[in-house]
Amino acid sequence: GPFGAVDVENDYPSLFKPALLACASRGRVIATNHVARVSADAWRATLSRTAEKCGRPLSALAILQPDADFPGDPPALKIAIARVD
């Protein structure tokens, strides 16, 4: 596009922050990440840090596992449900 490509590995906070800011109190944001070289732990830390920095701390952050038949070992797909305070 006119603003370039989104680097999901490094630009995830800029993708997650607007969703957090638009979410109602006690609402939930569902987020996904498909970059295999990003670990679930590192991604979880990025989501939590982004929420803290934008003033929307999370009351819960659940990382869901894809179904057993999803390709990859470990699968590249990561799914999170973040509950906003």
Side-chain angles (χ1 to χ4, degrees):
F3 301 106
V6 173
D7 178 353
V8 176
E9 187 173 358
N10 295 308
D11 295 340
Y12 209 92
S14 66
L15 300 170
F16 191 52
K17 180 181 176 180
L20 292 171
L21 294 175
C23 190
S25 182
R26 299 178 52 87
R28 291 173 180 81
V29 175
I30 298 174
T32 63
N33 185 308
H34 300 83
V35 179
R37 63 184 169 265
V38 175
S39 73
D41 289 338
W43 187 55
R44 176 191 298 268
T46 296
L47 297 176
S48 295
R49 187 173 49 252
T50 301
E52 290 293 328
K53 286 176 76 173
C54 75
R56 297 301 307 269
L58 304 177
S59 58
L61 180 59
I63 303 294
L64 307 179
Q65 299 301 315
D67 289 339
D69 63 345
F70 197 87
D73 187 27
L77 175 62
K78 291 165 281 299
I79 308 161
I81 300 178
R83 185 168 172 187
V84 180
D85 274 347

